[in-house]
Amino acid sequence: VKKKEEEALIMLLKERALRRCGASQRTYYECVKGRLISVAWACREDANSMNACLSEHTTDVALSDLKRRWV
């Protein structure tokens, strides 16, 4: 896979992950609204949940699978 194609597939993978993790993102963003410093402890669980979801959908395995389907 060429470098440009791989970059495009990575962008696609990230977009898909963001769509699949929409619920956890919304929960985190609702927690963050109106906060400044307290975000660090008040929204930690929501942030961890969102990051776990995003990490689950942006693994090397997921990228390899996407490459296999597109190439």
Side-chain angles (χ1 to χ4, degrees):
V1 177
K2 293 180 184 177
K3 185 70 174 168
K4 284 257 189 210
E5 292 171 340
E6 185 171 357
E7 289 174 0
L9 289 174
I10 290 170
M11 290 291 289
L12 180 62
L13 183 69
K14 289 179 180 180
E15 288 173 12
R16 287 181 176 181
L18 289 171
R19 274 183 284 173
R20 291 176 178 160
C21 299
S24 60
Q25 275 186 305
R26 280 187 292 282
T27 302
Y28 176 69
Y29 293 144
E30 287 300 317
C31 180
V32 169
K33 274 191 209 174
R35 296 180 192 269
L36 293 175
I37 297 172
S38 66
V39 168
W41 60 85
C43 303
R44 182 175 291 145
E45 285 183 34
D46 295 330
N48 290 341
S49 174
M50 180 181 69
N51 287 334
C53 182
L54 291 171
S55 294
E56 179 183 329
H57 294 291
T58 56
T59 62
D60 290 336
V61 174
L63 180 59
S64 296
D65 185 47
L66 191 60
K67 283 180 185 179
R68 204 172 32 251
R69 283 190 272 152
W70 282 84
V71 176

